[in-house]
């Protein structure tokens, strides 16, 4: 794909400086070639402007005069995302419904949908307009998949679920597997059937090998615009609000409620029945139990105010080895004083 810089600027609603060159792709400052667009977001990389071979640089106004050709933006990350979307090549090479796919006679698959070989569409399932179901993907009975969704290879959507529009399931994602529910008995753990469902609203993305469990009785719900990374575990009856970011290896226990705009950084663990308010940010590897007030920034295990945790981790923790040595010396001195005092008493 090739696009005139002037056309690209018009598409993005931005101004540009320099020649109206052909833009053929997007690359980093150190790797971009003459026909490619690059970008500068972090000022610490501005030294690369002196050596970059990029045909044009997407950046803010103060740096526009440092390159021969600039596309000027007040929100570089957002406009970079738009540019990459223009030049990105979608995955896949087929269209239509393959004869090698299994589509149940009672399933409703829109004529504009694409179903790859060896995909499975169950009884009573609905697949909406423009949706792509890649090879090895499974859509269970009576599950609804909305319009313009992408179900990448080997993802699983179990029966009786509802997926909205513009949803992306990366390879290996599992939606609607049984929640982790067992009753303890004298002879072992008895499985409690998980007969609820999962609802995923519009514009949600779910990463590879992430599991979102079906509810025990009601609904596990992921609200619109939320983005979930790879290797995340979301337990039964969890509700995650709108436009949240859930980063890799997060685990969320059953019946937890997560508000809107929450960020859970990598490897955060959330206990059952926790409640996390709107706009909360939880630092990596933190442990959350109970409730967190809206707008809080927390870190550590147990989770505490981020500033308190950083002071403890960066100021107190490094001093613990030396403090331990000092305490041991004081203990020896105290023991010596105690022996001397005891000896004096016996002499009397």
């Amino acid at each position: 794909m090739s696009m005139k810089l002037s056309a690209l600027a018009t598409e993005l609603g931005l101004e540009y400086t320099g020649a109206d060159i052909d833009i053929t792709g997007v690359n980093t400052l150190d790797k971009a070639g003459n026909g490619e667009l690059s970008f500068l977001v972090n000022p610490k990389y501005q030294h690369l402007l002196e050596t970059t071979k990029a045909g044009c640089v997407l950046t803010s106004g103060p740096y526009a005069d440092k390159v021969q050709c600039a596309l000027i933006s007040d929100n570089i990350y957002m406009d970079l995302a738009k540019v990459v979307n223009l030049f990105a090549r979608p995955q896949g090479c087929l269209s239509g419904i393959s004869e090698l796919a299994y589509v149940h006679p009672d399933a409703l698959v829109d004529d504009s949908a694409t179903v790859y070989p060896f995909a499975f569409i169950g009884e009573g399932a609905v697949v909406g307009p423009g949706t792509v179901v890649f090879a090895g993907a499974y859509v269970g009975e009576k599950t609804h998949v909305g319009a313009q969704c992408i179900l990448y290879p080997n993802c699983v959507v179990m029966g009786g679920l509802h997926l909205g529009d513009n949803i992306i399931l990366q390879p290996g994602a599992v939606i609607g597997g049984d929640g982790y529910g067992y009753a303890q008995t004298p002879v072992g753990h008895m499985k409690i059937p998980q007969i609820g469902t999962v609802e995923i609203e519009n514009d949600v993305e779910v990463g590879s090998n992430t599991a979102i469990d079906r509810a025990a009785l009601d609904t596990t719900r992921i609200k619109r615009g939320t983005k979930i990374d790879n290797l995340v575990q979301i337990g039964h009856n969890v509700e995650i609000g709108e436009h949240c970011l859930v980063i890799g290896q997060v685990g969320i226990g059953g019946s937890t409620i997560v508000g809107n705009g929450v960020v859970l950084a990598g490897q955060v663990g959330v206990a059952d029945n926790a409640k996390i308010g709107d706009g909360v940010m939880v630092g990596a590897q933190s442990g959350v139990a109970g409730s967190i007030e809206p707008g809080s920034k927390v870190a550590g295990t147990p989770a505490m105010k981020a500033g308190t945790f950083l002071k403890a981790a960066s100021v107190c923790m490094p001093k613990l080895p030396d403090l331990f040595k000092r305490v041991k010396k004081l203990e020896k001195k105290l023991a010596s004083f105690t022996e001397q005092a005891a000896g004096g008493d016996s002499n009397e």
Side-chain angles (χ1 to χ4, degrees):
M1 176 179 172
S2 178
M3 192 174 189
K4 283 289 187 182
L5 179 59
S6 56
L8 182 59
T10 300
E11 180 77 20
L12 299 175
L14 302 178
E15 296 181 356
Y16 74 95
T17 63
D20 188 14
I21 63 174
D22 291 319
I23 301 296
T24 59
V26 185
N27 215 329
T28 58
L29 283 169
D30 57 335
K31 299 291 179 62
N34 293 331
E36 292 181 307
L37 178 78
S38 192
F39 55 93
L40 175 69
V41 179
N42 193 328
K44 75 178 185 179
Y45 296 111
Q46 62 178 297
H47 65 279
L48 294 175
L49 296 177
E50 300 174 3
T51 57
T52 185
K53 296 180 181 178
C56 181
V57 178
L58 173 67
T59 189
S60 56
Y63 300 99
D65 60 352
K66 298 183 182 297
V67 291
Q68 293 184 345
C69 188
L71 192 58
I72 303 171
S73 169
D74 292 328
N75 191 333
I76 300 170
Y77 269 127
M78 181 185 73
D79 288 318
L80 176 63
K82 292 178 179 178
V83 171
V84 174
N85 270 297
L86 289 172
F87 285 92
R89 296 179 180 178
Q91 294 280 341
C93 58
L94 302 180
S95 61
I97 302 173
S98 170
E99 294 180 356
L100 296 176
Y102 176 80
V103 180
H104 193 280
D106 292 335
L108 297 176
V109 180
D110 191 272
D111 291 341
S112 63
T114 295
V115 182
Y116 273 67
F118 311 116
F120 179 98
I121 312 293
E123 178 184 7
V126 175
V127 177
T131 286
V132 180
V133 182
F134 277 86
Y138 176 96
V139 178
E141 67 283 354
K142 295 181 174 59
T143 280
H144 177 278
V145 180
Q148 305 299 326
C149 296
I150 303 176
L151 278 58
Y152 280 114
N154 299 320
C155 67
V156 174
V157 186
M158 299 297 288
L161 313 186
H162 188 280
L163 276 61
D165 301 334
N166 302 312
I167 287 172
I168 299 173
L169 302 183
Q170 294 292 346
V174 178
I175 314 299
D178 281 353
Y180 193 70
Y182 299 91
Q184 295 184 9
T185 75
V187 294
H189 304 298
M190 177 183 294
K191 183 176 178 64
I192 300 173
Q194 306 289 290
I195 59 175
T197 187
V198 177
E199 291 186 4
I200 300 181
E201 297 182 0
N202 297 349
D203 306 316
V204 168
E205 181 165 355
V206 179
S208 294
N209 298 325
T210 282
I212 302 176
D213 292 345
R214 71 168 61 244
L217 299 173
D218 191 5
T219 305
T220 301
R221 181 174 286 107
I222 313 297
K223 294 188 176 181
R224 66 185 180 93
T226 284
K227 312 300 182 185
I228 301 171
D229 199 359
N230 304 330
L231 297 169
V232 170
Q233 162 64 27
I234 298 174
H236 54 188
N237 298 87
V238 167
E239 179 179 302
I240 297 181
E242 299 177 358
H243 303 294
C244 295
L245 297 175
V246 183
I247 315 304
Q249 298 184 8
V250 164
I252 303 178
S255 300
T256 287
I257 297 176
V258 179
N260 299 326
V262 170
V263 178
L264 302 179
Q267 297 186 337
V268 164
V270 183
D272 294 354
N273 299 292
K275 187 172 183 179
I276 300 176
D278 294 348
V280 167
M281 299 180 67
V282 183
Q285 296 187 329
S286 298
V288 176
S291 298
I292 299 179
E293 293 297 317
S296 301
K297 295 182 179 180
V298 302
T301 302
M304 63 191 77
K305 289 183 179 180
T308 301
F309 171 74
L310 289 174
K311 288 178 182 178
S314 61
V315 177
C316 298
M317 290 291 288
K319 295 179 179 179
L320 285 180
D322 180 60
L323 181 61
F324 179 77
K325 291 178 181 178
R326 291 166 59 189
V327 169
K328 294 298 289 184
K329 288 181 180 178
L330 289 173
E331 287 177 340
K332 288 181 179 179
K333 288 183 178 180
L334 180 60
S336 176
F337 292 151
T338 302
E339 289 177 2
Q340 291 177 10
D345 291 342
S346 63
N347 291 333
E348 293 178 0

